[in-house]
């Protein structure tokens, strides 16, 4: 078995197009032959300017948008064109954490319901008591008090909501998690707490992650390797150390120059969470 959990080869995605009253529309190709791999337990960063195709790539990997060419393999299986019915059992194993937890958490449901419902849906809880116990244990891991179970999303802070989003994904014991710009709305110390938490969970659970961000300092704090995207193509990839210390492309150099700190500082994450505790 390969060490890679997820492998994309020559991936292309075209939006729009298809049959219409005027004949077949061509559509717009937004991913051009993407090659990418994510190892077991590895966290891979995807960085690039707005519109470069990061979200499209992430959603294609999860089979949430259709792929027009290329191949996606997940845990050795070609999932590129699996019908929904066959994808369904794999869905639990591929989770997504959203950028705006307020939009992804049902405002009318309690946190308890938000955390336990997916457990029933995927047959991971024997009964209510078991589901509640699992939710309680996960809350402890994301350092939230059990009292939030009875609250609604709007009664939590942005950082707390983000941790609920993380807890909800982690409860399903996935193999792969896609995190798309999940800390961009948070201040630096809340960002650091969320990133530390994800680091801890991915280590403890052996998770593979794709971490999308336009912020290179966030990528550097959490990722093992990084892919740099521009205009729907990967233009550079390598270990974070290599890409950050000796970027090959002018575009990556530009992105690095755009980091607000004069020197990218790998220690900010630890210090940020220490002061925020
Ligand atoms: N549903 C859609 N239909 C048509 N075009 C789309 C759709 N979603 C995205 N696009 C286009 O595809 C390209 C890539 O968009 P994508 O959202 O993947 O970029 P991104 O790198 O995630 O950007 P951002 O950093 O702003 O989130 C853009 O040109 C965008 O306009
Ligand atoms: Mg995006």
């Amino acid at each position: 078995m390969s060490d890679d959990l997820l492998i994309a080869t020559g991936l292309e995605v075209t939006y729009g197009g298809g049959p219409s009253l005027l004949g077949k529309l061509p559509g717009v190709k937004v991913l051009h032959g993407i090659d990418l791999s994510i190892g077991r337990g590895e966290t891979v960063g995807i960085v690039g300017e707005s519109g470069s195709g990061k979200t499209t790539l992430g959603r294609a990997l999860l089979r949430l948008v259709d792929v027009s060419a290329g191949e996606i393999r997940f845990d050795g299986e070609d999932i590129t064109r699996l019908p929904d019915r066959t994808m369904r059992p794999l869905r639990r194993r591929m989770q997504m954490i959203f950028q705006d937890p307020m939009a992804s958490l049902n405002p009318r449901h309690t946190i308890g319901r938000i955390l336990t419902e997916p457990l029933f849906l995927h047959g991971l809880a024997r009964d209510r008591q078991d589901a509640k116990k699992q939710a309680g244990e996960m809350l402890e891991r994301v350092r939230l008090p059990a009292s939030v179970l009875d609250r609604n999303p709007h009664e939590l802070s942005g950082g707390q909501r983000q941790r609920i989003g993380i807890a909800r994904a982690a409860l399903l014991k996935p193999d792969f998690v896609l995190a798309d710009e999940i800390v961009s709305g948070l201040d630096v110390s809340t960002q650091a707490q969320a990133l530390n938490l994800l680091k801890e969970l991915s280590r403890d659970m052996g998770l593979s992650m794709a971490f999308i961000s336009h912020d290179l300092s966030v990528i550097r704090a959490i990722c093992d390797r990084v892919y740099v995207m521009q205009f729907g193509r990967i233009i550079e990839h390598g270990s974070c150390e290599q890409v950050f210390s000796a970027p090959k492309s002018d575009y990556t150099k530009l992105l690095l120059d755009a980091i607000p700190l004069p020197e990218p500082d790998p220690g900010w994450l630890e210090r940020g969470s220490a002061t925020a505790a």
Side-chain angles (χ1 to χ4, degrees), residues 25-70:
L25 295 173
V28 181
K29 197 192 273 187
V30 296
L31 292 187
H32 308 263
I34 301 278
D35 295 328
L36 165 148
S37 64
I38 302 176
R40 293 170 199 275
E42 187 182 41
T43 298
V44 157
I46 302 171
V47 73
E49 69 196 337
S50 183
S52 55
K54 307 181 294 295
T55 296
T56 303
L57 173 57
R59 294 178 66 85
L61 293 176
L62 293 190
R63 284 284 323 277
L64 297 171
V65 296
D66 284 336
V67 169
S68 46

Side-chain angles (χ1 to χ4, degrees), residues 95-134:
Q95 289 296 311
M96 181 163 178
I97 305 172
F98 294 89
Q99 166 166 25
D100 176 7
M102 203 52 198
S104 64
L105 305 177
N106 189 324
R108 286 183 302 275
H109 290 180
T110 61
I111 300 300
R113 183 164 173 193
I114 288 169
L115 292 180
T116 54
E117 227 161 44
L119 289 174
F120 290 116
L121 200 70
H122 292 282
L124 292 179
R126 284 190 304 277
D127 49 35
R128 299 225 146 264
Q129 204 186 345
D130 181 32
K132 214 169 161 191
K133 179 165 165 277
Q134 292 186 44

